[in-house]
Amino acid sequence: MGLAIQEDVAALQRQIAAAIQAGRDNEAGQLWQRLLDVDPDSTKALFALSQRAFRAGDLQRARELLRRLVALDGQDLQQWINLAVVCRGLHDDEGEAAALTGALTVDPTDMLAQLLRGELFERQGRRHEAVRAYGAGAMAAPPVERLEPSLRPLLQRALAFQDAYQRDYGDWMDAHLAPLLRDLQGEPLGRFRDAVDIMFGRKRRYDPQPALFYYPGLAPVTFFDRALFPWMAALEAQTDAIRAEFLAVLARQDGFVPYLSYPPDQPHFQFAQLNNSPDWSAYHLIEQGRVVTGHAAQCPVTMAALANVPQPHQLNRTPSAMYSLLRPRTRIPAHTGVSNVRLVAHLPLILPGQCGLRVGNDVREWEMGKGWVFDDTIEHEAWNDSDALRVVLIFDVWHPHLSEAERTMVSALAEGIAQFGAGDGGFEL
């Protein structure tokens, strides 16, 4: 560009700025066109004139200008988005698709470009491609309430399309699998069914979320196969005797404490209503690795039964065992435990009905005389919707898939934590 042209361009830009500042819109438009005539490669003029043409409803002119702009520059995402919108207005699917490809080449994570691509594919009946584009856009989007209001309908459309697609896909797959599932009726296919439900969004995926210590390589199982716990049958056989000991303790009404007792200066989160509440209380037999002597002396049958259980040994932390009481109309909110090296076992003692436990997607009701073991690092919650007291003996056990050597090292780790002075406790059931 020669010196004279540069001077003309600079003069025109000053005049344009003055016209815009003074609100002389028509004059500014004429000056932008003069600037483009003087400098056909002016990206500023191309952009400004394309916007003016769009607002005036001259989509053909806007498309022409924007095509010249992206050919000269194309580094600005908005150039491509504008071109895509104009092409859509002209029912130019090919041009719209090319413009969106250009936008996503600049930034593959751009929410708007992905959502617009999804909408184009939806209009074209390309459902599989539409759901992928909509999904990419939704993944990049903030929560709907934080999104610019003008963009919310597009995101909501994308989410609704995803939901409908997943339902249709899931229904189709159910029909596809049904004959084979009938042939395999009676086989243990619960995990497969859960996997399919999670795949199609009918159930959530729950992974272990230990608050303190995660041990890799241990499968995230909700309720464990009782065959892994050969001591369970002997414990269950003592149910009546253990219940009798509890009832004697209950009659004395001494030694029961709130299950949760956070100091007032500590966050309570979802447990605010149950903190220091008698609605969920405990009678501790073993607490943070120490036998509660006075309580244990009153429950010899229970303590003898627990002595045959492989409880974990972690200094100042485990084992733990207690009678857990849940008053009528009380719900324990969803939460996760602290470490997957130890599991939680329940033996029900008093069941008024309308009581249950959810671990991940697995919801069960206790049965008298039947114990179970579950991974409490998977989100779980419990409830007593009856009008009477529910009581369960709760204790912890080693994860059965830890070798003896691994258990030894986990115990040594706890000793090291204690010697370092990093604090006691924190492994309450």
Side-chain angles (χ1 to χ4, degrees):
M1 184 185 298
L3 180 59
I5 295 178
Q6 290 180 14
E7 291 175 348
D8 288 345
V9 167
L12 285 167
Q13 289 176 339
R14 288 192 296 271
Q15 293 173 42
I16 290 169
I20 292 173
Q21 188 172 8
R24 300 192 299 270
D25 186 63
N26 288 338
E27 180 183 343
Q30 294 170 359
L31 290 167
W32 278 121
Q33 184 59 56
R34 285 178 57 190
L35 175 59
L36 187 63
D37 292 339
V38 172
D39 179 11
D41 292 343
S42 172
T43 56
K44 290 182 179 180
L46 288 166
F47 188 77
L49 289 169
S50 69
Q51 288 185 308
R52 295 179 67 84
F54 180 77
R55 289 196 297 268
D58 188 351
L59 300 186
Q60 295 279 3
R61 172 69 171 158
R63 180 174 60 179
E64 175 194 347
L65 292 165
L66 285 166
R67 282 177 171 170
R68 288 171 58 185
L69 176 60
V70 297
L72 285 167
D73 183 9
Q75 300 304 307
D76 185 341
L77 182 72
Q78 193 60 48
Q79 298 170 2
W80 293 103
I81 294 290
N82 289 357
L83 178 57
V85 171
V86 168
C87 288
R88 177 184 174 182
L90 291 167
H91 305 291
D92 176 7
D93 285 2
E94 184 178 349
E96 182 181 358
L100 291 171
T101 298
L104 291 168
T105 300
V106 173
D107 182 1
T109 67
D110 184 69
M111 177 201 71
L112 180 56
Q114 289 286 9
L115 293 179
L116 290 173
R117 176 182 267 183
E119 192 177 45
L120 171 62
F121 288 150
E122 182 184 357
R123 295 198 314 268
Q124 294 175 329
R126 298 158 66 180
R127 295 187 71 210
H128 303 310
E129 293 160 291
V131 80
R132 285 194 291 270
Y134 275 148
M139 187 177 298
V144 173
E145 62 274 11
R146 286 168 41 198
L147 191 63
E148 182 183 334
S150 64
L151 296 177
R152 291 176 188 174
L154 183 55
L155 177 58
Q156 289 167 336
R157 176 174 182 159
L159 297 174
F161 185 89
Q162 283 184 293
D163 288 343
Y165 180 93
Q166 284 291 87
R167 285 194 300 272
D168 292 347
Y169 190 6
D171 291 345
W172 184 93
M173 189 60 71
D174 288 342
H176 174 72
L177 296 173
L180 189 56
L181 286 171
R182 284 194 296 270
D183 292 343
L184 296 173
Q185 190 170 7
E187 294 292 328
L189 290 170
R191 289 188 302 176
F192 174 78
R193 293 179 186 273
D194 283 344
V196 173
D197 285 341
I198 290 169
M199 176 181 176
F200 294 112
R202 296 184 292 223
K203 288 183 178 179
R204 278 181 55 191
R205 172 181 170 180
Y206 290 96
D207 293 319
Q209 300 180 56
L212 294 179
F213 182 58
Y214 171 70
Y215 202 95
L218 298 178
V221 177
T222 54
F223 291 90
F224 281 72
D225 185 344
R226 61 181 290 119
L228 294 168
F229 311 104
W231 45 265
M232 182 64 82
L235 178 75
E236 292 168 337
Q238 296 292 311
T239 297
D240 291 343
I242 293 172
R243 185 192 307 108
E245 286 189 338
F246 166 75
L247 290 173
V249 166
L250 183 64
R252 288 189 285 272
Q253 284 295 309
D254 182 44
F256 292 89
V257 296
Y259 196 102
L260 298 172
S261 186
Y262 295 124
D265 62 341
Q266 297 297 317
H268 305 156
F269 300 114
Q270 72 267 42
F271 293 117
Q273 290 186 326
L274 289 176
N275 189 44
N276 292 312
S277 170
D279 289 343
W280 186 21
S281 58
Y283 186 85
H284 292 281
L285 301 171
I286 309 172
E287 187 174 15
Q288 294 182 359
R290 301 178 183 89
V291 174
V292 182
T293 307
H295 293 183
Q298 299 180 53
C299 305
V301 174
T302 306
M303 294 302 295
L306 290 172
N308 295 319
V309 171
Q311 288 195 271
H313 290 278
Q314 296 167 279
L315 184 63
N316 299 330
R317 299 179 183 276
T318 65
S320 292
M322 73 191 77
Y323 301 126
S324 172
L325 291 69
L326 197 61
R327 284 188 174 180
R329 307 297 173 183
T330 301
R331 177 173 288 268
I332 301 170
H335 61 288
T336 57
V338 293
S339 175
N340 62 337
V341 297
R342 64 107 174 95
L343 307 175
V344 175
H346 285 181
L347 180 69
L349 303 179
I350 298 177
L351 293 179
Q354 296 180 274
C355 297
L357 175 69
R358 177 186 67 82
V359 183
N361 290 303
D362 205 342
V363 179
R364 298 190 182 185
E365 294 185 1
W366 289 273
E367 295 181 46
M368 192 58 67
K370 296 292 185 181
W372 62 37
V373 179
F374 67 95
D375 183 346
D376 77 328
T377 66
I378 298 172
E379 183 187 279
H380 60 288
E381 60 182 328
W383 57 91
N384 177 4
D385 291 338
S386 77
D387 294 319
L389 183 69
R390 183 231 68 179
V391 181
V392 175
L393 174 66
I394 301 182
F395 54 95
D396 51 6
V397 299
W398 279 117
H399 194 296
H401 297 153
L402 289 174
S403 68
E404 287 298 328
E406 287 176 307
R407 296 178 185 185
T408 297
M409 294 310 300
V410 170
S411 297
L413 175 68
E415 291 177 8
I417 293 171
Q419 290 180 27
F420 183 74
D424 295 344
F427 269 47
E428 296 85 352
L429 291 176

